[in-house]
């Protein structure tokens, strides 16, 4: 078991299977694109351990609290890590987190998007530490996100040579 997998297990966290979109929805892209020593990661949303989108859905600051948004961002990290594990074969191949772009499905007037995306960043820093886990980041509010997801996050990592 890799170091990162051991840390996930110690935290009682499970990586979900690949997301299956709702019937009739076609997603014509890959979740992780490997290019040289980098992995570019498509937008991910929160998944339950079984694979479908995690509930609750909706706007943070409206139907969802800040805390629920934070937890959704943490689940989004697990979704992304699951696809990275499948693409790389071993999460220990990630030498550095480069950047994260976090989008929050925000109710009008909600301005705490950075606190929501901290759910993602805090888990990455906990797993990889302050050097390899440090990443550049944006956290922005959106009027809507696909399927009513509260957050969507994309990113990029460096892969060890």
């Amino acid at each position: 078991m890799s170091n990162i997998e051991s840390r996930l297990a110690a935290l009682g966290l499970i990586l979900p299977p690949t997301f299956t979109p709702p019937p009739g929805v076609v997603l014509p892209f890959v979740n992780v694109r490997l290019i040289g020593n980098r992995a570019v990661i498509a937008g991910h949303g929160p998944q339950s351990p079984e694979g479908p989108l995690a509930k609750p859905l909706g706007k943070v600051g409206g139907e969802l609290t800040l805390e629920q948004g934070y937890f959704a961002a943490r689940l989004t990290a697990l979704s992304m890590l699951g696809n990275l594990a499948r693409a790389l074969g071993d999460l220990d191949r990630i030498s550095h987190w480069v950047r994260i772009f976090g989008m929050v499905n925000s109710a009008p007037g909600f301005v705490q998007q950075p606190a929501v995306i901290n759910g993602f960043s805090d888990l990455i820093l906990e797993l990889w530490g302050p050097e390899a886990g440090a990443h550049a980041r944006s956290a922005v509010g959106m009027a809507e996100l696909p399927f009513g997801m509260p957050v969507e996050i994309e990113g990029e990592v460096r892969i060890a040579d």
Side-chain angles (χ1 to χ4, degrees), residues 43-106:
H44 282 65
Q47 284 183 262
S48 70
E50 298 78 31
L53 281 177
K55 305 269 191 296
L57 302 175
K59 294 185 179 300
V60 181
E63 299 89 358
L64 280 75
T65 65
L66 170 65
E67 293 76 18
Q68 288 172 308
Y70 178 96
F71 187 70
R74 187 174 173 92
L75 290 178
T76 301
L78 294 174
S79 175
M80 190 179 287
L81 293 177
N83 281 320
L84 281 165
R86 286 182 283 279
L88 299 173
D90 184 352
L91 291 172
D92 285 353
R93 291 186 60 201
I94 298 171
S95 64
H96 292 89
W97 283 81
V98 178
R99 69 167 191 89
I100 298 303
F101 182 67
M103 297 162 271
V104 179
N105 190 355
S106 299

Side-chain angles (χ1 to χ4, degrees), residues 1 4 12 16-17 25 29 36 38 46 57 64 74 77 100 104-105 117 123-124 131 133-134 141 148-149 153-154:
M1 183 179 287
I4 298 301
V25 175
F29 56 86
R38 300 210 183 259
L57 302 175
L64 280 75
R74 187 174 173 92
I100 298 303
V104 179
N105 190 355
I117 301 303
L123 181 57
I124 297 306
E131 176 58 31
M149 297 185 302
I153 302 172
E154 65 178 43

